Amino acid sequence: MKHYERIAEELTRLIESRSFPPGARMPSVRGLSRAHTASPGTVLRAYALLEDRGLIAARPRSGYFVRSAHPQRLPEPSTRLPAAGEGPVDINDLVFHVLESVKDRRVTPFGSAFPSPALFPFKALSAAFAAATRQLDPARTVESLPPGNPALRGWLSRRYLESGCVVEPDDIVITSGALEALNLCLQAVTQPGDIVAVESPAFYGALQAIETLGLHAVEVPTDPRYGVDVDALARILQTHPIRACWFMTSFQNPLGFQMPDDNKRALVALLARHDVPLIEDDVYAELYLRGPRPTPAKAFDRKGLVLHCASFSKSLAPGFRVGWVAPGRFRRQITRRQLTTTLATTAPTQWAIVEYLRHGGFDRHLRGLRQTLMQQQCLMSDAIERHFPAGTRLSRPSGGYFLWVELPEAVDALDLHRRATEAGVSVSPGPMFSAKRRYTNCLRLNYGHPDPEAIASGVQCLGALLARGQVPATPADA
C-alpha cells in the first residue's frame, strides 16, 4: 500500500467511527503532512481518494469537510463495445437542434458545452486587452500572422515543458480557438472518404467535423475510467485503413476519463508502428481537480505524429478564441491551410492574452477555478444520487466539468431532453456523442455553473421527469 493510501485508510476509519462526524472540518493539508511526515502532494492524493469514495468534499478557500451524508455511491457507467464497422456520420442536424435549447438564459444550462462566464477573470482580461491595444505598435501586427505571436508561443513552450513535453516556440501555431486547430489538423492529414477513429462516445464537435469534411468514422471501444481500448484499436488498425485518430486523452468530453500514462504511451507507440497521426484534443488539461496535472500523449511522441491541440477558452478566456496546435511533422501543412482560410488569429487578442499572462496571475486563477469546479461536481453528484432512479450509473471524472449519466435502458434520452427543455432545464442527450446515435439512455450534464440552488432544483426537476414521465412545474412556476 502506498503512503497516500495508508493515510486515506486511516482517515476513512476515523470518519466511519465518527471521530470526524458529518460536517466536521478535516485537518489542514499542512498539518496532516507534518503528522504523517508526508509531502503536501501525498496528502492531497489521500484527500482525492476520500473524495472519490464520497466521504469528504472540498470547499473553496475553506478546506475539506466530512460529507453530511454518505449515500450509496452509484456505480460507474458500463463499458459499451460498439461494432467496429466504418461509415458516414449523420449528426449535424441533431446537434444543432439540441444546442438551440442552450441559448435561452432562463434555462438551467446542464446541456451547455461551456462553464459559466462568472468563473473567469473578465475584469483583468479587459484591462489586459485595453493595455495591449494601447501599447500595440501597428507595425508589430504582422508578428501575429501564422504561426502567431512570438511572446505567446514562447510562454506556451515553457508551459509544455511543465507538462513533460519539449516543444519549441517555432513548433507551435496559434489558432482561432481549439476548434480551428482541430479542424486544420483533420484537413491536413485526411482526404474526403478517409476513415477516422474516434472514441465511443465521442465529442460531438469531432463528429461534426468528420461529417462536414466527407469522412467516415470508426467508433473505438472506450472504457469510462481509462479511455480508449488500445487493444481494440490495434485490431481495428489491422482491418481498416485508418488515416487518423481524434482522441481526448485527459478529461474526455463526455465521459471525463483520464487515460493512465502507460495507456497513453502504448497508444502513441501503436500509432507510430502504423504511421497513423493522432489529433490530441487536450482543451481540459488545466482543469484537473484531483492529483497532478496530466501528461499529454504528446510527451511520448518521437515521430512527430501527435498533433496536440488546446486553447484558453476552457481555462481562462472564453470568447477570446485563442487556441493553438503543436503539430509535429505537419506544421507546414497547418500553417498554409490557416493562411488560406482564416489567415490569422486576431492580433489584439493574442497580445491581450500575453499581457494577462505576464501580470494577471494565471495559476492563482486556475487554483480557484479548480476548487469551485470540484465543489460543484460534488453538489451535482450528490443531487443525482438523491433524485435519479434505481439503475442509474454515474461517472467520476477527476477533471473537466461534465458528468456522464447512464440511465435505465427504458429511458429515451432524446424524449427526456425535449421534456426537460420545456420544464426549463437543458441536457445533452447521449445520441449526440455517437456517429450511429448510440447511447439512447445516456446524458451529459454540465456542472460548470456556480449556482447551488440551480444545480439542486435542476437535478430535482430531471429526477421528477424520470420518476413520473411527465413535465413538472418549473421552479419559477412552483
Side-chain angles (χ1 to χ4, degrees), residues 31 33 133-134 266 401 403:
S33 64
T133 51
R134 284 196 305 270
Y401 49 87
L403 292 177

Side-chain angles (χ1 to χ4, degrees), residues 14-351:
L14 291 171
I15 292 170
E16 290 176 345
S17 68
R18 298 266 173 155
S19 295
F20 290 111
R25 182 174 181 172
M26 298 295 292
S28 70
V29 172
R30 183 178 300 174
L32 206 57
S33 64
R34 283 198 302 267
H36 286 268
T37 318
S39 69
T42 298
V43 173
L44 286 171
R45 291 190 72 183
Y47 275 161
L49 191 55
L50 295 182
E51 286 184 289
D52 286 341
R53 295 173 179 173
L55 295 175
I56 65 173
R59 296 180 189 173
R61 295 177 292 280
S62 298
Y64 293 85
F65 291 79
V66 180
R67 284 194 174 187
S68 56
H70 309 311
Q72 180 66 39
R73 300 289 287 178
L74 294 175
E76 292 188 274
S78 56
T79 301
R80 302 294 185 89
L81 299 176
E86 58 88 12
V89 179
D90 179 18
I91 201 74
N92 268 320
D93 288 343
L94 173 61
V95 171
F96 289 135
H97 171 71
V98 171
L99 292 183
E100 282 296 317
S101 67
V102 181
K103 295 180 180 179
D104 189 340
R105 292 189 178 185
R106 295 168 298 178
V107 172
T108 302
F110 292 164
S112 172
F114 307 101
S116 169
L119 297 175
F120 299 98
F122 276 106
K123 287 185 178 180
L125 286 166
S126 297
F129 190 88
T133 51
R134 284 196 305 270
Q135 301 165 14
L136 183 59
D137 180 353
R140 298 186 68 186
T141 57
V142 295
E143 294 181 1
S144 295
L145 293 173
N149 185 292
L152 182 55
R153 289 186 288 118
W155 185 92
L156 290 170
S157 176
R158 295 188 293 275
R159 197 72 170 183
Y160 269 113
L161 194 59
E162 294 174 13
S163 66
C165 296
V166 178
V167 179
E168 297 294 331
D170 287 345
D171 295 329
I172 299 170
V173 179
I174 306 300
T175 60
S176 296
L179 198 56
E180 184 193 29
L182 292 158
N183 276 279
L184 287 171
C185 291
L186 196 60
Q187 294 169 42
V189 299
T190 64
Q191 297 291 332
D194 284 346
I195 305 172
V196 179
V198 296
E199 296 132 342
S200 184
F203 168 47
Y204 59 74
L207 299 175
Q208 288 180 290
I210 289 169
E211 179 179 350
T212 299
L213 293 175
L215 303 168
H216 290 193
V218 167
E219 297 186 20
V220 182
T222 304
D223 185 272
R225 179 179 292 182
Y226 301 114
V228 169
D229 185 331
V230 179
D231 291 335
L233 177 61
R235 293 190 293 272
I236 291 171
L237 288 168
Q238 294 290 343
T239 58
H240 292 74
I242 304 297
R243 292 302 302 269
C245 297
W246 179 330
F247 296 150
M248 287 187 180
T249 60
S250 295
F251 318 133
Q252 188 249 15
N253 176 4
L255 285 178
F257 64 75
Q258 180 182 340
M259 287 185 73
D261 284 356
D262 286 346
N263 294 36
K264 292 177 182 177
R265 186 182 290 106
L267 170 65
V268 173
L270 170 67
L271 296 180
R273 290 196 297 273
H274 290 268
D275 205 41
V276 173
L278 168 61
I279 301 171
E280 184 178 17
D281 184 350
D282 205 19
V283 295
Y284 303 103
E286 296 283 7
L287 303 184
Y288 52 96
L289 308 184
R290 305 178 185 89
R293 176 193 175 102
T295 302
K298 181 71 175 177
F300 307 111
D301 181 25
R302 300 294 178 268
K303 294 183 65 176
L305 280 169
V306 178
L307 301 89
H308 182 268
C309 304
S311 82
F312 290 104
S313 296
K314 306 298 190 293
S315 61
L316 175 65
F320 272 48
R321 306 306 304 156
V322 176
W324 66 91
V325 54
R329 67 166 73 164
F330 303 99
R331 177 182 177 277
R332 184 178 183 185
Q333 296 96 309
I334 296 294
T335 303
R336 288 192 169 190
R337 286 185 177 275
Q338 188 182 36
L339 282 167
T340 59
T341 52
T342 57
L343 181 62
T345 306
T346 306
T349 57
Q350 293 188 59
W351 279 109

